[in-house]
Amino acid sequence: SASPAPTTECLVDGFEGTSLGSQWIDDVGGDGKYVVADGAITFSDTSHVRSVGSFTAPLTIRATLDKTDYCSNHYIKLSTEPWDQGGHSWDYEPGVVTFMWDCLERYIYGQTDYDSRSLYTLGGTYDIEITVDGSTATFLSTYGFGFNGEADTLVLQDTIGSSSEGLYVYVGADGGASATWNSVEICPWLLAPT
């Protein structure tokens, strides 16, 4: 059967209440270990949720997360597939790009290559911005990089954004300590607020 048409609207979630909002689905792989409470979603072990709808590039994802443990291994994964086993494979996978932390190392892990950088400071709230177009993926973090905590951007040449299939967005954690997300916003570029 054909996949539903990609959404043209933004998905914005501050994780209010005590249950997962209707724009997310959790029966899509991973171990399902997460809690929604106090304006955040916290994952443990290897778990994630996925956007109900898919998106087309160009795409901007903004999020706020708390990295309070050495191995709070947060990730956002873009995939052409509506189901994923969860976590991160160190093998390159067609149709998958992952923006992630592995303890104090930050990665864009693409379909055929990767970019990474070590973290110099730990703790606190991070604002991130991911952009994807037909040829490039970027991963900006505005806390904890460089010796003065200045922003740092990873850049990877990758064609995930040129896929004719919609891209599902997975938000979660890849083992290690618990990983807390305070907000996530996913928007096609034409709708992304500046």
Side-chain angles (χ1 to χ4, degrees):
S1 69
S3 298
T7 185
T8 58
E9 298 180 13
C10 295
L11 181 159
V12 178
D13 198 344
F15 302 106
E16 299 300 323
T18 57
S19 62
L20 196 60
S22 62
Q23 63 270 39
W24 301 103
I25 187 169
D26 61 3
D27 188 17
V28 291
D31 61 21
K33 294 182 180 177
Y34 69 89
V35 174
V36 179
D38 302 319
I41 185 167
T42 301
F43 297 92
S44 58
D45 294 329
T46 301
S47 56
H48 59 227
V49 296
R50 190 205 79 209
S51 60
V52 170
S54 63
F55 297 84
T56 57
L59 184 64
T60 298
I61 302 170
R62 294 184 178 104
T64 302
L65 61 96
D66 288 328
K67 186 157 176 61
T68 55
D69 190 279
Y70 177 81
C71 282
S72 293
N73 293 334
H74 299 75
Y75 72 78
I76 290 181
K77 183 182 294 191
L78 301 179
S79 176
T80 57
E81 297 298 322
W83 189 91
D84 186 90
Q85 67 187 14
H88 171 66
S89 167
W90 292 104
D91 295 327
Y92 299 117
E93 299 177 65
V96 177
V97 174
T98 305
F99 306 83
M100 62 175 275
W101 271 268
D102 181 39
C103 295
L104 293 183
E105 193 82 11
R106 190 170 57 112
Y107 290 87
I108 301 175
Y109 214 84
Q111 300 174 96
T112 60
D113 202 2
Y114 74 93
D115 190 13
S116 68
R117 190 105 6 95
S118 292
L119 177 72
Y120 295 111
T121 59
L122 175 65
T125 300
Y126 293 68
D127 293 318
I128 65 169
E129 182 175 280
I130 293 167
T131 58
V132 176
D133 63 23
S135 63
T136 306
T138 65
F139 184 8
L140 167 73
S141 175
T142 58
Y143 182 91
F145 290 89
F147 292 106
N148 296 314
E150 66 269 14
D152 182 69
T153 303
L154 299 177
V155 179
L156 183 65
Q157 299 304 307
D158 194 284
T159 59
I160 188 86
S162 66
S163 171
S164 61
E165 300 176 60
L167 298 173
Y168 291 98
V169 179
Y170 293 81
V171 176
D174 187 21
S178 64
T180 299
W181 294 88
N182 300 310
S183 65
V184 175
E185 174 186 282
I186 308 163
C187 283
W189 278 5
L190 296 175
L191 301 175
T194 54

